[in-house]
Structures are given as C-alpha cells and as structure tokens.
Amino acid sequence: MRTANTHKNMARCAATATLACVLGLGLAAPAYADTASDLAAARTKLEQIGTQTQQIYDELATQTQALDQTAGEITQKQQEIADGQAKLSTYVAGEYKTGGLSLLQVLTGVDDLSDMLNRLFYYGKVSDKQAQTIQEVKELKQQLTDKQAEQEKNVAATQKKVDELNAQQAEAQNVVNSLDSQLQAELAAEAEANAALQAGINASTAEKATVSNETAGTTENTNNGGQTSNNNNQGGNTPAPTPAPAPTSQPSTPAPAPTPSAPSQSVDGGSVVSRAYSKLGCAYSWGGIGPNSFDCSGFVSYCLTGRYCRLGTTGTFMGWTRVSDPQPGDVVVNSYHTGIYIGGGQMIHASDYNTGVIISSVAAGMNNNYIFVRY
C-alpha cells in the first residue's frame, strides 16, 4: 500500500510541476501591448491629418473669396468696355452721316470690339485721349482675366490637396477602427486566458493540498505499523502506554476569515490626484504596480489606495458606481484602459510603453468611449 501511494503522489507532483511550467509561460507580456501602441500611433496620425485638413480648408476658402472678387472686377470692366463700345457706335454713326467716315471702311471684316477700335484709331477718327482710355480698360481687363486664370489654377490645386487629405483621413480612420477591433478581440482573448490561468492555479493549489494530506497519512501509518511490530516481537508482555489525559480547557475558536472590503466611497480626491501627479514620467510595464513602473490598472490602484497593490482590472472598475458629474480623483475607464480624472477634461494614466505615465485629454486617451466611476 505504501509503495502504491508513493507512486501516486509522485505522479501528482509531476502533474503539478508541469502545470506550473505552463502557468509560467502564461505570464509573458501580452500581444495586445503592441496593438495598443499601434492604435495610439494611428490615432495621433489621424489627428495630424485632421489638423492639416482644417488648414487647407481655410486656405481654399481664402482663395475662393479672392477668385470671387476678381470675377466681380472683371464684370465691372466688361461693363466699362460695353459703355465705351456704345459711345463709339454713336460716334461712328455720326461720322457716317456727315460723310466723314465710310462705315464700310471701318466695319468690313470686323470680328470684335478690339478689331473695331484698332481700325478707328488707324483711320484717325478717335482722339488720342479716347484711344488711351479704351486701351487702358482693355489692358486692365486682360490683366484681371490672367489673374482669374491663375487663381482658378490655385483653387484647383488646393481642392486636389483637400481631396487627397480627405482620402488619407478616411484611410487613417479605417486603420484606427481596425486596430480598435483587433485590440478588443485580443483583450477578450486575454480575459479568457486569464480565466483559464486562474482555474489552473486553483486546481494546482487543490492538488498540492491533496498530495500533502496523503503524504502525512502515509507517514502516520508507517510509524504505527512499526510500533505494532515491536509489540508483537516482545510477546505482548509490555503493557500498552497509558493514554494522555484530555485537556481540561476548551480549544479556542479560530477567527473567521476576513471578507474583502467593498469600495469605501470616501477617498479624498485631492490625495488621489496628488499621488497621480507624483508618478508622472514613470515607465509603463504590463502587470506593473509600482513603485517606478505601472500598467494602467496598477497605476489607478496606487492612486486610490496609496499602496503598491492591485484593486482589480478595468473590468473590476467598470462595475463600480458610475457618476455623471466627475470630480478630480474619480476613475475614467473603458473595457481596455483606465486612468485618474484630474478635471478640465484631462486625465493622468499609464499610457503605453513609449510614453509611460502622462497627462492627456480624456477623449484622446480613451478614444471617446468611456465612463466615470467613483471608488
């Protein structure tokens, strides 16, 4: 029987050791850390493109306004030319009636107003002052027409930049959405793996307790067996040992195991914020609870308690009491990230491996998907 128990215990110990190795491998840094870093970079790129787009929209509005102004000036000069054309027509008609000018000479082969003006001037029928004024109007209109063409070219180029930035913005948003979905999937997988890990730890602990109890029982049986054998060898002449008297005092009742305390609901927000500020610049490390490196939930746990411990994960925090009027010292949280609210739409949080513990806007740090809770 002893040999069978020994083999059984050895097998259980081997199984426990194998489980410990598996659990040890399960403590490696999670894959989602890289995805979260990529997501933060993609959001930064999206914000940069948004800023550039707004700037180019402002430039396009300015150029369009200038183009409209030039078009108005061209319309005005066109009206001045039309007025001059009417006066010249009256002049030509008068000259024709007095026989001073052959209308056939002026109008034969005329294609447009410019050609007619040139012919009138050639025949000496328009004074130098009239000719100069008309020529200036014509030149100014041409300048405005050239200016308009250049402005239209600039507007077209700027519109092309706007279209390109809009396309880049749409592409960047798709990347952000894709990475966000990937991160959510990885976090769900991590939660499932953690549940399996905890189940394995619980099973390993129970297995160790069983092995320990059976080993103790085997040792006790072995000792008793040896004593019986000795009594038989002495032929039964040795009297049995007198049993020890029972203790007169009653054994003390063991103290009940402490129950986990619920959130106190009385944490001083100023102290929480002060602790958060004191850790600015510390490094990010997955599973870190301080004092010099934290992950997001480890950082929040320290700020709330002042101890280097872990109150729970983001899932734990999301189950706390929600608040609609967040105050400095409250917790901002979503399914995969958390931080300490410091007021003014700002938060302090253990962001990622690249930045560590930083101050940022709540919207940027949480991707506009979050709640506020109070400890």
Side-chain angles (χ1 to χ4, degrees), residues 41 71 81 129 179 200 240 249 262 274 276 327:
I81 292 175
K129 185 176 181 179
L179 286 172
S249 61
S274 295
Q327 302 297 316

Short mmCIF file of all heavy atoms in Angstrom, two decimals, residues 41 71 81 129 179 200 240 249 262 274 276 327:
data_model
loop_
_atom_site.label_atom_id
_atom_site.label_comp_id
_atom_site.label_asym_id
_atom_site.label_seq_id
_atom_site.Cartn_x
_atom_site.Cartn_y
_atom_site.Cartn_z
N ALA A 41 -0.55 55.29 -32.06
CA ALA A 41 0.14 55.97 -33.16
C ALA A 41 -0.84 56.31 -34.29
O ALA A 41 -0.76 57.39 -34.90
CB ALA A 41 1.27 55.07 -33.69
N ALA A 71 -13.61 87.98 -60.17
CA ALA A 71 -14.72 87.83 -61.12
C ALA A 71 -15.60 89.08 -61.11
O ALA A 71 -16.06 89.54 -62.18
CB ALA A 71 -15.53 86.59 -60.78
N ILE A 81 -16.19 98.53 -70.78
CA ILE A 81 -15.88 98.34 -72.21
C ILE A 81 -17.17 98.42 -73.03
O ILE A 81 -17.20 99.01 -74.13
CB ILE A 81 -15.18 96.99 -72.41
CG1 ILE A 81 -13.79 97.02 -71.77
CG2 ILE A 81 -15.07 96.65 -73.89
CD1 ILE A 81 -13.05 95.68 -71.81
N LYS A 129 -6.81 110.77 -76.56
CA LYS A 129 -7.28 110.54 -75.21
C LYS A 129 -8.31 109.42 -75.15
O LYS A 129 -8.28 108.56 -74.27
CB LYS A 129 -7.90 111.83 -74.66
CG LYS A 129 -8.33 111.71 -73.19
CD LYS A 129 -8.85 113.04 -72.68
CE LYS A 129 -9.23 112.90 -71.22
NZ LYS A 129 -9.73 114.19 -70.66
N LEU A 179 -7.66 48.57 -35.85
CA LEU A 179 -6.81 48.29 -34.70
C LEU A 179 -7.64 48.24 -33.41
O LEU A 179 -7.36 47.44 -32.52
CB LEU A 179 -5.72 49.35 -34.57
CG LEU A 179 -4.58 49.26 -35.59
CD1 LEU A 179 -3.68 50.48 -35.50
CD2 LEU A 179 -3.76 47.99 -35.38
N GLY A 200 -6.40 27.04 -13.54
CA GLY A 200 -5.25 26.15 -13.38
C GLY A 200 -4.56 26.34 -12.05
O GLY A 200 -4.13 25.38 -11.40
N ALA A 240 0.31 -1.72 27.36
CA ALA A 240 0.06 -0.60 26.43
C ALA A 240 0.28 0.72 27.15
O ALA A 240 0.02 0.82 28.35
CB ALA A 240 -1.38 -0.68 25.91
N SER A 249 -9.10 22.53 29.43
CA SER A 249 -9.62 23.78 28.84
C SER A 249 -10.13 23.54 27.44
O SER A 249 -9.61 22.67 26.73
CB SER A 249 -8.52 24.85 28.83
OG SER A 249 -7.45 24.41 28.04
N ALA A 262 -15.54 46.31 0.39
CA ALA A 262 -16.08 46.99 -0.79
C ALA A 262 -15.45 48.37 -0.90
O ALA A 262 -14.84 48.86 0.04
CB ALA A 262 -17.60 47.12 -0.64
N SER A 274 -2.94 64.02 -6.17
CA SER A 274 -1.55 64.27 -5.78
C SER A 274 -0.69 63.05 -6.05
O SER A 274 0.44 63.16 -6.55
CB SER A 274 -1.48 64.65 -4.30
OG SER A 274 -2.15 65.87 -4.05
N ALA A 276 -1.28 60.78 -8.27
CA ALA A 276 -1.16 60.64 -9.72
C ALA A 276 -0.06 61.54 -10.27
O ALA A 276 0.78 61.12 -11.07
CB ALA A 276 -2.51 60.96 -10.39
N GLN A 327 -15.51 64.32 -10.71
CA GLN A 327 -14.68 65.24 -9.95
C GLN A 327 -13.24 64.75 -9.98
O GLN A 327 -12.97 63.57 -10.21
CB GLN A 327 -15.17 65.31 -8.49
CG GLN A 327 -16.62 65.74 -8.34
CD GLN A 327 -16.86 67.14 -8.86
OE1 GLN A 327 -16.06 68.05 -8.59
NE2 GLN A 327 -17.95 67.34 -9.59
#
